[in-house]
Amino acid sequence: MFGKLFGGGRERPTADPHALPAPRKQKNGVYALRALGDARVLALVEAADAGDWGAVKAALAPFDLGRDHQVLAELADLDGVQDWIGRAVRDDKEHRATALLISGTRHISWGWEARTAARAVDVTRDQWRVFHERLEIAEEQLLEAAELRPDWVTPWRRLLTSGRGMSLGPAVNEARRDAALRRDPLDLETHIEWVSQLQPRWGGEPGQALAFAREAFAAAPDGHRLGCVVAMAHIEEWVESESPGHLDTPGTQEELREAARRSILHPDHRRRPGWQEDFNIFAMALALSAESIVAPRVFHELGGAWTPWPWKYMTQPEKAYARFRRRV
């Protein structure tokens, strides 16, 4: 049915032999995606959780950590990595760049954990101190990783985050953005990071981020996941507006529809570990715009799988996902 409605009989993607099965027990028919929904990523996370550097290196074999932001994020968000990764940085000369990349990225996440999501005025002096100490370590390690592996894009994308947190200013962050995009002009995560940077809360001008996203996606080939940057720019505009119905306009609905059709729903789109996050970005944007033509297809493809990003912008992410899913 969905093929006839949305793609003229398009074949479903080939079954992924590494895909993790959906859990049997689900609340409200939804579940949080684990380890990017991939058995190989799960093995990597379990090795990192055990502090087994040898097993981590073995589990990284199928992935390019210098370009795969989502796999790197699984390690960055794992509590406890900071307790053992320093030894790998110190002792493993052959894989020093990889260890530096993981450690630096973890220190950014760890720094934000210390700062918390509170407004700046509500962050204590001690929290600010720990935040900056951890970001300073991250900066040093990521810059060294980038020097050791000049082909990598992931250090530069993460340096955008630390640069914003440390208020290093437009010139530094623009140079880092350009460094990332020279290595991959269509890198989605770098574009999304820059969309955040362009928001008024970080010193940007209204409409600037959306214009950047539109221009970037216009240069992408059909089927590329960069279409998500348009959806994310609309979500960021919704966050800035503080108006529940900000995206509920025919023009926004049509733009999101076309972006989805030309990216994640296009026949040339290729799914990779963590593809569900891309679909969740569109699911949230389409739902917030009250779009009713493409949104059902996007939620259907997800099969109830939700990811913290970008639903974390809502007070109760899982409940919000389930609520919008029921509506479509």
Side-chain angles (χ1 to χ4, degrees):
M1 179 182 73
F2 280 99
K4 294 179 181 178
L5 285 174
F6 301 106
R10 171 190 172 210
E11 293 183 2
R12 292 186 61 81
T14 305
D16 181 356
H18 304 292
L20 293 172
R24 292 182 179 180
K25 291 184 178 181
Q26 300 177 14
K27 187 176 181 180
N28 299 319
V30 306
Y31 65 96
L33 188 71
R34 184 185 183 196
L36 304 183
D38 189 281
R40 297 166 300 175
V41 178
L42 179 59
L44 171 63
V45 170
E46 290 176 340
D49 194 37
D52 187 337
W53 177 233
V56 167
K57 289 186 290 184
L60 280 172
F63 307 108
D64 181 356
L65 209 61
R67 292 186 173 271
D68 198 323
H69 301 277
Q70 289 176 292
V71 172
L72 179 59
E74 290 295 304
L75 298 175
D77 295 338
L78 187 61
D79 187 30
V81 167
Q82 70 277 359
D83 296 334
W84 58 265
I85 191 62
R87 293 192 297 275
V89 170
R90 183 187 66 238
D91 300 336
D92 193 340
K93 304 303 181 184
E94 181 182 356
H95 300 95
R96 180 174 173 82
T98 298
L100 285 166
L101 177 62
I102 295 171
S103 181
T105 305
R106 173 57 193 153
H107 273 79
I108 293 175
S109 297
W110 197 30
W112 245 276
E113 289 169 14
R115 182 203 180 282
T116 75
R119 297 181 305 165
V121 295
D122 297 325
V123 179
T124 68
R125 181 177 298 180
D126 282 345
Q127 286 175 316
W128 278 119
R129 178 183 55 78
V130 175
F131 176 59
H132 281 280
E133 285 175 354
R134 292 174 181 176
L135 290 193
E136 285 169 3
I137 293 172
E139 288 264 321
E140 180 181 343
Q141 292 184 332
L142 290 172
L143 286 168
E144 184 179 348
E147 183 178 359
L148 290 171
R149 291 296 305 267
D151 57 314
W152 281 357
V153 64
T154 48
W156 295 107
R157 174 258 182 265
R158 292 290 177 167
L159 283 163
L160 278 174
T161 307
S162 59
R164 187 169 73 242
M166 296 184 70
S167 302
L168 296 184
V172 171
N173 285 324
E174 287 172 9
R176 292 174 174 187
R177 175 205 62 196
D178 293 345
L181 295 182
R182 279 197 303 273
R183 288 156 176 80
D184 184 354
L186 300 178
D187 185 66
L188 173 61
E189 281 77 6
T190 298
H191 282 86
I192 287 180
E193 187 68 21
W194 198 248
V195 161
S196 293
Q197 181 73 55
L198 292 176
Q199 296 308 310
R201 64 183 181 272
W202 292 108
E205 298 294 331
Q208 195 175 9
L210 190 53
F212 168 77
R214 286 167 174 161
E215 182 179 359
F217 183 45
D222 289 348
H224 199 282
R225 61 193 289 258
L226 191 55
C228 295
V229 74
V230 174
M232 200 62 231
H234 279 293
I235 292 172
E236 289 279 10
E237 283 218 334
W238 171 80
V239 173
E240 289 283 345
S241 73
E242 298 183 353
S243 170
H246 181 74
L247 302 186
D248 190 357
T249 69
T252 299
Q253 293 167 358
E254 180 60 25
E255 181 170 36
L256 289 170
R257 245 192 316 270
E258 291 308 308
R261 286 169 171 163
R262 197 166 81 76
S263 57
I264 62 168
L265 299 182
H266 193 275
D268 291 339
H269 179 69
R270 295 294 176 263
R271 294 183 180 180
R272 43 182 271 167
W275 64 265
Q276 295 91 337
E277 184 174 271
D278 295 351
F279 274 67
N280 268 267
I281 290 173
F282 267 105
M284 182 171 171
L286 289 162
L288 289 171
S289 73
E291 198 280 336
S292 61
I293 300 173
V294 167
R297 164 73 182 278
V298 173
F299 276 97
H300 173 78
E301 291 292 326
L302 284 168
W306 74 277
T307 56
W309 179 261
W311 296 96
K312 70 176 187 178
Y313 278 131
M314 295 188 168
T315 305
Q316 296 178 304
E318 183 173 356
K319 289 184 177 179
Y321 174 87
R323 182 174 68 253
F324 281 121
R325 181 171 180 262
R326 286 195 301 271
R327 288 180 182 175
V328 302

